[in-house]
Amino acid sequence: MTATDTAPAAAPFRLSGRQIVPLLIMPILIVNAVSFIWPTLSLLRMSLNEPIAGGAIRETLTLQTYVSVMTDSFYLELVWNSVYLCSIITAFTLLLSYPIALFIHRADPKWKSLLTLMVISPLLVSAVVRTYGWVIILGDQGLINALLLGSGLVDQPVRLIFNNFGVMVGLVEILMPYMILSLMAGFGRLDPRLEEAAQSLGAKRLTTLYRVTIPLTAPGIALGCLLVFVLSISSFVTPKLLGGGRVFLLATEIYDQSIVLLNWPLAASLSMLVLVIFGAALVVYSRVVKALD
Amino acid sequence: MLAENPIHIANAEASDARSEAHLQLTHLEKRYGDFLAVEDLSVSVRRGELIALLGPSGCGKTTTLRMIAGLASATSGAIRVDGREIQTLPAHARDMGLVFQSYALFPHMTVERNVAFGLEMRRNSKDQIAGRVAKALELVQLGHLAQRRPRELSGGQQQRVALARALVIEPSILLLDEPLSNLDAKLRDQMRVEIRDIQQRLGITTVFVTHDQVEALSMCDRIAVMDKGRLAQIGTPQDIYERPATPFVAEFVGRINKLPGRGTSANEITVGDRRFGTAGKGAANGAVTAMIRPHRIEIVPRGTPADNRNAAEGVITRATYVGDILEYMVALEGGVTLAVETATGGHRRNFALGDEVELRWAHEDTLVFGADA
């Protein structure tokens, strides 16, 4: 090749790899800007307005709603309740999902896809329908109470819904597919030889589980917990229907404030609070992942 | 020795072993559906012996090892350690040191924690664990890497950690599953010597699974060659190499020439119109296959005075220089071609393509098997 040839031929519509990256990211950036960033900013703006009794709003810049949220013990308890209940829901979802995920991971490859499909299939039915299903099962005239009354174990129907228990049952069941899929995604490092090595070194099954299996699957556990926690704290339909107005959570309160009481600035500031909780969950998650590595 | 022990006399199978049997497999069988992975396998391993389970992939050698370790259950048969059946014991109670082909080091633990794992399971005291881990790492010359993670180590180093982890618990039996197959050739040679050295120093009974005949021949006291789930032959490396029991064994443990012929007496066969003396245990009368190792054949110029060996005239059709050896292909009259290997060296005469030569080899190097080989 001669020296004059070394300049690349001009290609008018060729982009280098470096140039093409922003172009490929652009669509999702636009979607995010329109559907997430802009609404979030308008929520932020709304939270700085002043509510007037009767549902009117005065456009201004005040931290009044934040002050009232931070000083009112009702809202503080609401935040605490939400975080607490959703943490318990996350823990139970993990506890129930882990054996299933492990079972599917170890299953014969020819059954694996069928089993995975069975895990995902509940997602084909809307959460609203599944929640109503739980109302039928857990209600005073529901399946469980009918069994309990019929067997003579109780004389009065046991209250299984319209309380924290009902919300927990419903959310755990609805969120399990997400947890199972996250766990399975994190099981890549789990070489069966490692568990066999542990056994040959004298570890019993349970010891192998908590010394080898669980530490190796911790990244999947962290991911699943983050996902389920975030989904549970932002879920509305299930707590609303299974809580029956007796379980007060952030999502249901935001709904009440914005739709029933028309106090949009307060609803907006509570929404910002949910965002802060998400942020905190993400920080915890990234710390955990870093510590695991 | 055994005869004086009434317990051993009572146990007919235990008394089969002429010397002290440490590990004994009796009529072991493993069936997966219709597939017999291991069939009627009986092997007796002496105390302190290094025995190889040698065979091609799929011959059942790893399955056998897993059954000994308790990671797979036998369909039938017995596995005894010191005369005691161990199949009712789960893997964690069998007291065997196992080294996997992939090493299976715990990626979330340091080298030190990996080695300490087995001792922690045995509830040793902290001081004792620290001391024994340090000693085990010293044994494999890795004391300086105790705080590293497995992924920060080279293949050879990982292999040594796996060995240290298996040895630190002072198992009654060491099981090695193709421990050298993931190493490059040079390191493999080195680890071969090292493992044999450690095994001899500790005097630990060891079962070594491999598909590499060089590893088996160079490291082991005895070799059990397996073929399609069955034991083809068991014996010392010399037995296996010099006196293979079956054509499969003869072909598996090294290169070998095959000559179709007819047996005429117990120690003579004819190939075409040539007569060859044999090792002597051939089946007389009928079609046979004679086998001769390439490096046991000597090439001499035609006209060399006859000696007491088999002789055949031929023409060199290919000569390949491979550094330490020269490989010749020599076409005999009558359409048979023999491979011949000679060591390279100044004092040897090299032959060229097209040279008319004569091949000589000893009677006892002519192995005879049935014709279907």
Side-chain angles (χ1 to χ4, degrees):
Chain A
M1 212 182 245
T2 60
T4 50
D5 284 342
T6 50
F13 296 111
R14 278 282 286 274
L15 289 171
S16 73
R18 222 172 242 287
Q19 287 167 309
I20 213 158
V21 168
L23 213 71
L24 289 173
I25 292 176
M26 199 55 82
I28 192 69
L29 279 181
I30 292 169
V31 168
N32 254 331
V34 171
S35 69
F36 176 69
I37 296 168
W38 182 59
T40 305
L41 288 176
S42 39
L43 264 180
L44 183 65
R45 177 69 195 89
M46 176 59 77
S47 71
L48 298 173
N49 287 337
E50 193 190 334
I52 298 168
I57 295 160
R58 185 158 77 224
E59 291 229 10
T60 171
L61 285 174
T62 169
L63 288 173
Q64 192 203 322
T65 54
Y66 288 97
V67 171
S68 58
V69 166
M70 289 303 167
T71 52
D72 191 333
S73 66
F74 171 76
Y75 292 115
L76 291 177
E77 212 181 305
L78 190 72
V79 172
W80 168 245
N81 261 352
S82 299
V83 172
Y84 176 72
L85 189 66
C86 292
S87 302
I88 292 180
I89 287 169
T90 306
F92 271 109
T93 311
L94 176 64
L95 225 59
L96 291 174
S97 303
Y98 196 84
I100 299 174
L102 207 55
F103 177 79
I104 297 175
H105 178 75
R106 288 176 181 165
D108 194 307
K110 70 182 172 205
W111 294 111
K112 222 169 178 167
S113 48
L114 182 71
L115 290 168
T116 311
L117 197 74
M118 282 169 66
V119 166
I120 301 170
S121 58
L123 298 178
L124 299 175
V125 179
S126 120
V128 180
V129 176
R130 283 198 283 158
T131 303
Y132 274 118
W134 279 112
V135 171
I136 292 167
I137 294 170
L138 300 173
D140 282 0
Q141 270 90 49
L143 181 72
I144 292 179
N145 268 316
L147 279 174
L148 287 174
L149 289 167
S151 66
L153 283 170
V154 294
D155 342 308
Q156 291 280 316
V158 182
R159 164 77 13 118
L160 297 171
I161 49 169
F162 307 141
N163 55 16
N164 279 352
F165 176 80
V167 175
M168 269 171 52
V169 170
L171 276 179
V172 165
E173 187 266 334
I174 283 166
L175 295 174
M176 271 176 70
Y178 299 100
M179 180 65 92
I180 294 172
L181 290 179
S182 306
L183 288 173
M184 283 169 63
F187 280 178
R189 280 213 299 175
L190 192 62
D191 179 352
R193 296 271 175 278
L194 294 173
E195 292 164 297
E196 290 178 354
Q199 282 173 31
S200 80
L201 289 167
K204 298 189 178 81
R205 271 165 183 272
L206 210 61
T207 317
T208 307
L209 182 71
Y210 72 79
R211 287 292 305 270
V212 176
T213 314
I214 290 176
L216 286 175
T217 54
I221 293 174
L223 177 66
C225 287
L226 173 75
L227 195 65
V228 165
F229 181 77
V230 164
L231 286 173
S232 63
I233 217 160
S234 61
S235 67
F236 162 71
V237 174
T238 307
K240 184 80 187 165
L241 293 175
L242 288 173
R246 289 194 185 83
V247 177
F248 298 98
L249 296 176
L250 274 168
T252 53
E253 184 62 19
I254 291 168
Y255 174 84
D256 287 345
Q257 288 294 340
S258 56
I259 305 294
V260 181
L261 301 169
L262 297 176
N263 189 343
W264 285 20
L266 186 65
S269 63
L270 287 174
S271 302
M272 297 315 289
L273 203 59
V274 172
L275 262 185
V276 170
I277 294 172
F278 284 178
L282 259 178
V283 168
V284 170
Y285 168 75
S286 55
R287 287 267 169 91
V288 167
V289 167
K290 213 171 196 176
L292 286 174
D293 196 34
Chain B
M1 194 173 122
L2 287 179
E4 290 160 16
N5 188 333
I7 298 166
H8 283 280
I9 293 170
N11 189 333
E13 271 157 352
S15 62
D16 278 350
R18 276 172 198 85
S19 81
E20 200 183 357
H22 189 186
L23 169 69
Q24 197 167 33
L25 313 179
T26 316
H27 305 301
L28 202 59
E29 187 173 297
K30 177 67 182 180
R31 187 186 287 276
Y32 295 103
D34 288 340
F35 175 66
L36 263 175
V38 175
E39 195 180 348
D40 193 26
L41 181 72
S42 296
V43 175
S44 175
V45 186
R46 298 174 196 129
R47 189 172 300 283
E49 185 177 40
L50 175 52
I51 193 164
L53 293 180
L54 175 69
S57 61
C59 73
K61 57 194 192 298
T62 294
T63 305
T64 305
L65 197 78
R66 291 174 61 81
M67 287 192 283
I68 299 171
L71 299 174
S73 57
T75 310
S76 65
I79 303 172
R80 292 195 184 85
V81 173
D82 288 325
R84 197 165 70 98
E85 172 61 70
I86 61 164
Q87 283 187 94
T88 47
L89 297 176
H92 66 79
R94 288 205 184 179
D95 195 26
M96 307 240 174
L98 181 55
V99 175
F100 288 86
Q101 183 171 12
S102 57
Y103 315 138
L105 298 177
F106 305 125
H108 58 298
M109 298 182 196
T110 61
V111 166
E112 193 177 33
R113 307 290 299 160
N114 262 284
V115 178
F117 190 89
L119 296 174
E120 286 167 8
M121 293 304 118
R122 282 160 178 73
R123 302 186 189 284
N124 290 42
S125 74
K126 274 213 163 90
D127 294 345
Q128 213 181 351
I129 291 176
R132 283 172 69 179
V133 168
K135 235 170 105 185
L137 286 175
E138 215 49 58
L139 184 72
V140 295
Q141 300 157 34
L142 281 180
H144 57 296
L145 296 178
Q147 298 310 321
R148 298 276 186 89
R149 290 292 181 95
R151 62 161 183 262
E152 298 165 336
L153 305 181
S154 70
Q157 288 167 338
Q158 288 186 27
Q159 215 271 329
R160 283 175 211 200
V161 176
L163 195 60
R165 187 178 68 174
L167 288 171
V168 76
I169 58 174
E170 290 172 8
S172 71
I173 293 168
L174 180 64
L175 306 173
L176 307 171
D177 186 8
E178 306 245 11
L180 305 177
S181 61
N182 286 338
L183 303 177
D184 60 53
K186 208 167 176 184
L187 201 55
R188 196 152 53 215
D189 289 350
Q190 188 192 330
M191 285 310 293
R192 224 158 59 195
V193 177
E194 217 165 291
I195 289 178
R196 176 60 168 169
D197 194 48
I198 290 171
Q199 187 267 335
Q200 290 285 289
R201 239 187 304 160
L202 301 178
I204 185 167
T205 307
T206 305
V207 181
F208 180 98
V209 161
T210 180
H211 65 270
D212 185 323
Q213 79 277 6
V214 179
E215 280 173 17
L217 292 168
S218 63
M219 289 173 70
C220 300
D221 297 305
R222 282 195 305 155
I223 298 170
V225 186
M226 291 182 69
D227 176 23
K228 296 191 192 89
R230 289 180 148 273
L231 182 68
Q233 186 177 7
I234 183 165
T236 63
Q238 285 85 348
D239 287 338
I240 300 290
Y241 194 82
E242 305 282 348
R243 293 173 291 279
T246 69
F248 169 81
V249 175
E251 286 185 83
F252 193 76
V253 296
R255 290 182 66 196
I256 202 155
N257 288 299
K258 292 206 271 189
L259 287 174
R262 297 195 72 77
T264 50
S265 77
N267 46 20
E268 196 180 69
I269 57 164
T270 58
V271 176
D273 50 4
R274 274 186 288 269
R275 287 168 178 280
F276 296 129
T278 69
K281 62 175 186 96
N285 302 320
V288 295
T289 299
M291 294 196 182
I292 313 151
R293 299 228 177 260
H295 65 98
R296 293 289 167 88
I297 303 175
E298 193 189 345
I299 305 183
V300 296
R302 290 215 181 149
T304 305
D307 45 26
N308 213 4
R309 295 185 292 175
N310 290 321
E313 293 184 337
V315 178
I316 292 178
T317 56
R318 200 165 77 206
T320 313
Y321 179 77
V322 203
D324 52 348
I325 55 166
L326 265 160
E327 288 177 2
Y328 295 105
M329 296 305 286
V330 181
L332 305 187
E333 287 138 32
V336 187
T337 300
L338 292 184
V340 181
E341 291 174 5
T342 62
T344 52
H347 63 286
R348 279 174 194 275
R349 179 170 170 187
N350 291 342
F351 297 89
L353 198 65
D355 281 1
E356 296 192 337
V357 295
E358 204 173 305
L359 303 180
R360 300 275 175 91
W361 68 91
H363 293 182
E364 60 267 27
D365 286 331
T366 314
L367 310 167
V368 179
F369 299 102
D372 51 343

